[in-house]
Amino acid sequence: MTPDEYCQQKAVQSGSSFYYSFLFLPPERRRAITALYAYCREVDDVVDECTDANVARTKLKWWRDEVANLYDGKPQHPVTQALACAVVAYDIQQQHMLELIDGMAMDLDYNRYPDFDTLKLYCHRVAGVVGLMSASIFGYSDKKTLEYAPELGLAFQLTNIIRDVGEDARRNRIYLPLDELEKFSVAESDIENARDSENFQKLMTFQIDRAITHYDAAFAKLPQQDRKPQIPGIIMAGIYRTLLEEIRCDGCKVLKQRTSLTPLRKLWIASKTWMKG
């Protein structure tokens, strides 16, 4: 199996909505973004799959060293081998590769977030910097696009958090800011024990509205001339905003189920968005 094939398999197996946004890219950019996505999956899996925090820290340290190997021209892992040309061709910054690992490491130190500012730092590290790296691969002519990209990454991560409230709680993680739980009179134990309530519905409506605000803020920053090259992010936003509305219309039943869109619906949204340009 070649490094590119390894990354492709990693992307397909994940079942992520991001895969559908890659389909319309030219081959070279598609290979680069698929390799970047595979890198994100690899470091994310370290935290998700390791029950021992010390083992996870050791593995993340290995990935930090492997990023150094990548930029020294001697990558060892199939993912970094697949990224070797991309980091040069698309000016992917080493600091962003490492900052993503910093974000994953936060999951080893935090299973609760006291306020939105702390959560926002986490979101920037695990998603905002991915937005910046992705924007470089997609291509841009106006540097203002580099303000749009991390804002869109933040919106994506907030959507993930909303979708996965119940799933995360079963892993003893609550990403909803604790001061906001208090504001809406929702106890941590309510989330841990999947107790739905009117107050929880109000809390989730607040979370959805804020995520949508960040989508709007992101696209307000995207220069018109860069809309076409940045179409994968626009496709992804279409899929994720549809998911948010599904969650809202379904009564925010995120404590006991994980709302998702079918592959056919994702492909339809992707195709429609691509046609609009």
Side-chain angles (χ1 to χ4, degrees), residues 29-65:
R29 295 185 191 273
R30 186 166 64 246
R31 279 194 288 271
I33 195 65
T34 301
L36 176 62
Y37 178 76
Y39 169 71
C40 295
R41 294 304 323 152
E42 291 285 352
V43 294
D44 187 47
D45 287 348
V46 167
V47 176
D48 285 348
E49 295 176 1
C50 288
T51 55
D52 186 320
N54 289 327
V55 172
R57 287 189 176 91
T58 299
K59 289 188 174 184
L60 289 179
K61 170 64 166 59
W62 185 92
W63 275 106
R64 290 182 197 280
D65 293 342

Side-chain angles (χ1 to χ4, degrees), residues 14-255:
S14 74
S16 171
S17 298
F18 283 92
Y19 178 71
Y20 295 87
S21 69
F22 303 163
L23 296 176
F24 301 91
L25 285 169
E28 287 302 319
R29 295 185 191 273
R30 186 166 64 246
R31 279 194 288 271
I33 195 65
T34 301
L36 176 62
Y37 178 76
Y39 169 71
C40 295
R41 294 304 323 152
E42 291 285 352
V43 294
D44 187 47
D45 287 348
V46 167
V47 176
D48 285 348
E49 295 176 1
C50 288
T51 55
D52 186 320
N54 289 327
V55 172
R57 287 189 176 91
T58 299
K59 289 188 174 184
L60 289 179
K61 170 64 166 59
W62 185 92
W63 275 106
R64 290 182 197 280
D65 293 342
E66 181 60 5
V67 169
N69 289 337
L70 168 62
Y71 283 86
D72 285 342
K74 47 184 180 182
Q76 301 173 23
H77 193 279
V79 166
T80 44
Q81 289 171 356
L83 278 168
C85 292
V87 297
V88 175
Y90 303 113
D91 193 27
I92 298 173
Q93 299 295 305
Q94 184 173 0
Q95 69 188 66
H96 292 151
M97 300 278 289
L98 293 172
E99 197 166 1
L100 175 64
I101 298 176
D102 291 339
M104 299 306 173
M106 287 180 72
D107 272 331
L108 303 176
D109 298 320
Y110 291 85
N111 63 357
R112 304 287 188 275
Y113 286 80
D115 50 45
F116 186 64
D117 283 344
T118 310
L119 179 65
K120 195 173 180 181
L121 173 61
Y122 170 77
C123 291
H124 176 73
R125 287 175 169 174
V126 301
V129 295
V130 178
L132 285 167
M133 292 187 286
S134 299
S136 294
I137 292 172
F138 300 151
Y140 64 91
S141 57
D142 190 325
K143 288 188 176 180
K144 288 183 179 177
T145 296
L146 298 181
E147 298 175 17
Y148 142 85
E151 185 79 37
L152 187 62
L154 171 60
F156 288 157
Q157 190 61 26
L158 293 177
T159 304
N160 287 336
I161 288 169
I162 291 164
R163 179 195 62 198
D164 296 341
V165 171
E167 186 176 294
D168 288 332
R170 289 186 285 276
R171 296 165 55 224
N172 193 29
R173 295 187 183 280
I174 297 177
Y175 289 96
L176 304 177
L178 296 183
D179 62 347
E180 293 174 5
L181 266 65
E182 184 177 357
K183 176 182 176 181
F184 286 91
S185 300
V186 174
E188 288 182 51
S189 59
D190 292 337
I191 294 177
E192 292 165 348
N193 294 296
R195 287 195 292 264
D196 204 345
S197 67
E198 184 178 346
N199 286 343
F200 179 75
Q201 300 298 315
K202 291 178 180 177
L203 169 66
M204 295 313 300
T205 297
F206 174 79
Q207 304 297 322
I208 291 171
D209 288 344
R210 176 166 59 200
I212 289 173
T213 297
H214 283 288
Y215 282 110
D216 291 342
F219 285 108
K221 296 175 181 178
L222 178 61
Q224 184 62 35
Q225 65 265 37
D226 282 344
R227 284 186 64 85
K228 187 170 183 178
Q230 295 296 319
I231 196 70
I234 298 173
I235 288 172
M236 192 63 213
I239 292 172
Y240 262 37
R241 288 187 73 147
T242 301
L243 176 64
L244 281 178
E245 292 306 327
E246 286 286 313
I247 292 171
R248 190 200 297 273
C249 291
D250 199 33
C252 300
K253 295 177 182 177
V254 293
L255 288 172

